[in-house]
Structures are given as structure tokens and as C-alpha cells.
């Protein structure tokens, strides 16, 4: 079934407009259409989940990453000192805006590891924790991850009402391999010709992957990428920056537009879970073992994964070098302990490397950007005219 047809047979600007409208629609129409057509839905909290398993069961994996909605019920379930994404994600489920069949979270922080318990007290459907390894450097980490995937697969099979065959799982891996390949093309455009694709335009194209079947997302990306490459756009005098801090709670789209007005964002960690695996996952052999090995050994970095091979500050510096960026925008969601902790490490390391950086915080419901825009423009001018 298809859930998003408004983009078809439209010119590029209209396609991007329709994509932006869908991403900003707090009613989640594609998820509701999937439900209305009889489909089952797995909702998973940030940052990474092996969506291929849910896809192979015929379910729609939906990335719960909050929303700019009024929280009328969820705030009573959490303290005010917690990040916004957990409260708005719960609000979406309490109001059945996203009506799930199973919920999965991860112990990525003190808040996230308790979400299964909170969901379990409020919903009748299964609420699970996927225990990704805390020590990714252990010799047993891949086997452990594979066993956790198998456990979660069993839970998904119970909800879907059918067994997941290796043939189905391999087919899903192929679909997601194609999706990751197309997303790498999008980011290649950002790095090589950033004037052809602004940060907010790239963001909505990536974001849609968490709201629709991957086959449909692949079709959309395959249609728009050639049009973006031939877009009539002139290069402007903007600095090249990396945006860091969008791994979990997502900044408002208007905030990304403000940044894009002053800078070319040539790389970022926005919705990094959708791009976590860096290369194709093999389709021969044990598919769960292949997915587990890719998670551990062929993946990006994040403040929520502790891997001694990928020290965060050095990985950020490498991202800056690989993208030819002149500076970094180091952000964090308010009340996000992992993100705010990493800001200290990032700023110290960038100071050592003499890389300019701009520090900020965001909250998913923030609406005023004038002050930040002035500060950012001053920062940009200090680099352009030094």
C-alpha cells in the first residue's frame, strides 16, 4: 500500500513543499493511512532500531521522535526537568495520533530506559526494551546483539501473527540497503554542492523515511535526487559548517531554515539512526548476525553509544575534515544529558584543533529564533572577514 502520493508528477519545488508539509503535519497522516488500510505499526524510540525486522514482518516501523504539539496529558507522567521528546512522543500515543501495536525503546539514557515501564502502565500492547550492548568493544558484542535482535524478533512475530523467514529478512535488508544508498547520495550533494540542497530540504527528505514504507521512500528519493542535481541554483558566499547535536530530540524545522540562511550545512547527525549503518549489510549467511555486525562494526557514532574505537570528539573532527567544513555548530536539546555532556568534550577538542564553533541549545517547541540568528550571523561574519 502507498501512503503518500501528493508528490507524484510534480516539479521539484512542489515535491519539496509537499514533503515539508508532511513532516510538519502533527496528525501523522501517513501513519494513520497505514493503520486505516489494516497495517500494523511498530513504534521505536530514538536513536537506532533494526527496522528491517519489523519490515520483514509486514509492519510499518515508525520512528518516535516527538512533535511540536500541545502536551495536554503526557506532562503529568514526567517531571518538568526531562527532555521534551519523551513527553511529546507519549502524548502522540496517548491521543492515538500514533496508534501502535508494539513499542520498543533502548537504554540510551536514564529517561529512555524507563519508557517501556511508562508505556506499559498506559497501553495494553507489548512494550519492550532492546538492550543494545553497553560495551561495543567486547568480543561477544556482535553475538549478544544478534541474540537481542532474535528476542525482539520473537516479540514482533507474536504481534504480527506470523513467523519472519530468513528470505523475508534478506529482502528487507536489500530494501534498506537501497534506502541507505540513496540517503548517502543526498548527503553527497550536501557535501559537494550544498547550494543545491539546503539543510531543511535535506532534512525533510530524510525524515520521511521514519513515516512511510521504505519502498515508497526509496521511490521518492530516486525521483528527486536527479532533479536536485540539475537544479538551477547559484553558489553563495556562505561558510561550510557541520551541525552536531540532532541525534535524538529534533530541532524545529524553522531553526534549520535560520541556520541554512547563513551557512551551508555540509554534514550533520540529524536523525542519525536512519543512517547509522554506513554500508550495505550482506544478504548471505545469517541475516540477524549480519545486522548485528553492521551495528557494531560498520556504523556511525553518537553520544548514546560507547565505543572506544569511535571517540566522539575525534569523530566530529573527522566529519569536519571529510566534509571540508570551516566550522561546527554544536547544539544539544535542553535537558539532554548525553548531548550536553558531549558539548564539553567537543568544545575542548575543537579548541585544541583551532576549529571555530558555535554553541547553542534547542527545544522542539521553540518558536523564537531572532536572538540566535543575530548571534549566528555575527559568528559567520567573524569567519568570513577574519
Amino acid at each position: 500500500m502507498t501512503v503518500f502520493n501528493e508528490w507524484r508528477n510534480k516539479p521539484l519545488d512542489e515535491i519539496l513543499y509537499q514533503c515539508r508539509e508532511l513532516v510538519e503535519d502533527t496528525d501523522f497522516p501517513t501513519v494513520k493511512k497505514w493503520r486505516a488500510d489494516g497495517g500494523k505499526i511498530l513504534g521505536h524510540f530514538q536513536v537506532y532500531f533494526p527496522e528491517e525486522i519489523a519490515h520483514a514482518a509486514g509492519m510499518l516501523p515508525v520512528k518516535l521522535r516527538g512533535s511540536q504539539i500541545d502536551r495536554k496529558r503526557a506532562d503529568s507522567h514526567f517531571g518538568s526537568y526531562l527532555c521534551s521528546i519523551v513527553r511529546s512522543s507519549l502524548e502522540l500515543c496517548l491521543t492515538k495520533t500514533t496508534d501502535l501495536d508494539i513499542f520498543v525503546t533502548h537504554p540510551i539514557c536514564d529517561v529512555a530506559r524507563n519508557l517501556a515501564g511508562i508505556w506499559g502502565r498506559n497501553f495494553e500492547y507489548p512494550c519492550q526494551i532492546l538492550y543494545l550492548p553497553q560495551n561495543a568493544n567486547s568480543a561477544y558484542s556482535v553475538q549478544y546483539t544478534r541474540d537481542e535482535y532474535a528476542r525482539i524478533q520473537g516479540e514482533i512475530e507474536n504481534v504480527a501473527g506470523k513467523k519472519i523467514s530468513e528470505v523475508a529478512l534478506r529482502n528487507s535488508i536489500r530494501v534498506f540497503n537501497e534506502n541507505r544508498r540513496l540517503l548517502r547520495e543526498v548527503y553527497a550533494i550536501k557535501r559537494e554542492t550544498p547550494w543545491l540542497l539546503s539543510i531543511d530540504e535535506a532534512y525533510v527528505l530524510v525524515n520521511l523515511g521514519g513515516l512511510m514504507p521504505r519502498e515508497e521512500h526509496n521511490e521518492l528519493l530516486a525521483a528527486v535526487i536527479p532533479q536536485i542535481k540539475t537544479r538551477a541554483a547559484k553558489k553563495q558566499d556562505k561558510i561550510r559548517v557541520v551541525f552536531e547535536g540532532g541525534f535524538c530530540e529534533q530541532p524545529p524545522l524553522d531553526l534549520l531554515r535560520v541556520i541554512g540562511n547563513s551557512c551551508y550545512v555540509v554534514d550533520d547527525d540529524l536523525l542519525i539512526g536512519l543512517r547509522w549503518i554506513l554500508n550495505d549489510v550482506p544478504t548471505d549467511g545469517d541475516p540477524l548476525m549480519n545486522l548485528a555486525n553492521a551495528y557494531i562494526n560498520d556504523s556511525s557514532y553518537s553520544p548514546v553509544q560507547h565505543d572506544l574505537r569511535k571517540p566522539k570528539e575525534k569523530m566530529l573532527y573527522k566529519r569536519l575534515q571529510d566534509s571540508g567544513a570551516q566550522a561546527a555548530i554544536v547544539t544539544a536539546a535542553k535537558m539532554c544529558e548525553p548531548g550536553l555532556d558531549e558539548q564539553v568534550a567537543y568544545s575542548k577538542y575543537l579548541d585544541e584543533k583551532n576549529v571555530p564553533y558555535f554553541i547553542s541549545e534547542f527545544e522542539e517547541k521553540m518558536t523564537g529564533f531572532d536572538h540566535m540568528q543575530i548571534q549566528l550571523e555575527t559568528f559567520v561574519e567573524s569567519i568570513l572577514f577574519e
Side-chain angles (χ1 to χ4, degrees):
M1 69 183 80
T2 59
V3 297
F4 180 50
N5 294 306
E6 288 77 4
W7 66 273
R8 299 180 187 277
N9 302 314
K10 300 284 198 313
L12 178 60
D13 288 344
E14 179 64 19
I15 292 174
L16 293 172
Y17 170 78
Q18 292 296 337
C19 292
R20 189 179 302 117
E21 288 291 293
L22 177 55
V23 167
E24 294 190 303
D25 191 333
T26 58
D27 205 37
F28 291 77
T30 54
V31 180
K32 287 187 173 179
K33 188 174 190 309
W34 179 271
R35 166 70 73 193
D37 290 342
K40 293 186 175 182
I41 300 169
L42 178 146
H44 60 92
F45 193 67
Q46 299 274 43
V47 168
Y48 172 79
F49 179 79
E51 295 179 309
E52 291 91 338
I53 302 174
H55 180 274
M59 301 182 72
L60 177 66
V62 173
K63 178 176 277 294
L64 294 179
R65 68 267 195 255
S67 181
Q68 289 185 306
I69 54 174
D70 292 328
R71 299 187 296 265
K72 298 178 180 179
R73 299 175 60 184
D75 280 357
S76 63
H77 297 264
F78 295 105
S80 60
Y81 51 86
L82 301 180
C83 56
S84 293
I85 183 175
V86 295
R87 291 179 280 166
S88 58
S89 294
L90 180 60
E91 184 77 23
L92 291 172
C93 294
L94 289 171
T95 58
K96 292 190 179 298
T97 302
T98 51
D99 191 10
L100 308 180
D101 294 283
I102 180 173
F103 170 73
V104 182
T105 187
H106 321 275
I108 59 172
C109 65
D110 287 342
V111 180
R113 68 187 178 90
N114 290 298
L115 293 184
I118 294 171
W119 251 258
R121 289 195 295 269
N122 289 278
F123 304 100
E124 295 183 357
Y125 52 73
C127 304
Q128 289 289 323
I129 301 175
L130 173 61
Y131 290 98
L132 295 169
Q134 295 298 302
N135 180 11
N137 304 118
S138 166
Y140 193 70
S141 61
V142 174
Q143 181 64 52
Y144 167 83
T145 305
R146 191 260 177 224
D147 293 345
E148 268 296 284
Y149 286 0
R151 181 182 66 81
I152 291 295
Q153 177 176 315
E155 297 291 337
I156 293 172
E157 289 172 339
N158 291 337
V159 173
K162 65 177 183 180
K163 290 289 185 180
I164 300 173
S165 68
E166 288 195 355
V167 172
L169 193 48
R170 289 191 184 101
N171 178 66
S172 294
I173 289 174
R174 292 186 187 96
V175 171
F176 279 75
N177 279 345
E178 175 65 7
N179 189 251
R180 287 184 283 264
R181 184 191 68 79
L182 290 165
L183 292 178
R184 290 196 295 270
E185 278 201 57
V186 170
Y187 270 75
I189 294 172
K190 281 171 52 114
R191 285 191 303 274
E192 297 162 14
T193 52
W195 53 91
L196 296 181
L197 190 66
S198 65
I199 179 175
D200 53 294
E201 292 172 334
Y203 177 77
V204 297
L205 289 175
V206 174
N207 194 310
L208 292 179
L211 298 172
M212 62 176 60
R214 276 309 197 284
E215 294 91 338
E216 197 171 339
H217 192 222
N218 289 349
E219 185 182 2
L220 169 63
L221 292 176
V224 300
I225 287 173
Q227 296 183 58
I228 293 170
K229 290 180 177 179
T230 58
R231 201 176 192 181
K234 294 183 179 180
K235 183 178 180 181
Q236 298 180 350
D237 190 19
K238 296 181 179 180
I239 67 168
R240 297 168 60 93
V241 303
V242 163
F243 180 96
E244 191 81 8
F247 61 93
C248 187
E249 184 171 324
Q250 297 301 290
L253 194 54
D254 284 340
L255 173 59
L256 299 181
R257 290 193 190 107
V258 166
I259 294 172
N261 288 336
S262 300
C263 313
Y264 286 135
V265 180
V266 291
D267 205 350
D268 59 65
D269 67 342
L270 293 162
L271 293 170
I272 192 64
L274 296 176
R275 302 177 288 116
W276 182 256
I277 295 175
L278 299 177
N279 296 291
D280 284 356
V281 178
T283 54
D284 56 340
D286 180 355
L288 288 181
M289 184 65 81
N290 292 339
L291 285 169
N293 184 67
Y295 173 77
I296 296 294
N297 295 315
D298 194 13
S299 55
S300 185
Y301 69 96
S302 166
V304 300
Q305 188 198 47
H306 307 289
D307 189 332
L308 296 177
R309 299 168 300 177
K310 298 184 286 187
K312 314 301 186 305
E313 58 273 22
K314 292 183 179 179
M315 296 302 292
L316 171 57
Y317 185 64
K318 184 177 186 301
R319 177 172 278 169
L320 285 156
Q321 290 182 307
D322 290 348
S323 61
Q326 300 161 266
I329 297 177
V330 182
T331 66
K334 292 182 178 179
M335 307 294 180
C336 175
E337 184 176 347
L340 292 169
D341 282 349
E342 291 301 333
Q343 274 192 337
V344 177
Y346 287 151
S347 58
K348 181 179 179 181
Y349 193 79
L350 293 176
D351 280 335
E352 293 175 0
K353 297 296 183 178
N354 294 315
V355 175
Y357 58 90
F358 180 84
I359 294 282
S360 70
E361 291 183 9
F362 65 85
E363 197 265 344
E364 66 182 11
K365 286 189 67 177
M366 67 188 293
T367 56
F369 309 102
D370 292 345
H371 184 60
M372 179 186 174
Q373 184 174 10
I374 293 171
Q375 289 182 318
L376 183 59
E377 288 175 352
T378 302
F379 172 74
V380 170
E381 290 174 0
S382 71
I383 296 173
L384 286 173
F385 303 117
E386 66 177 355

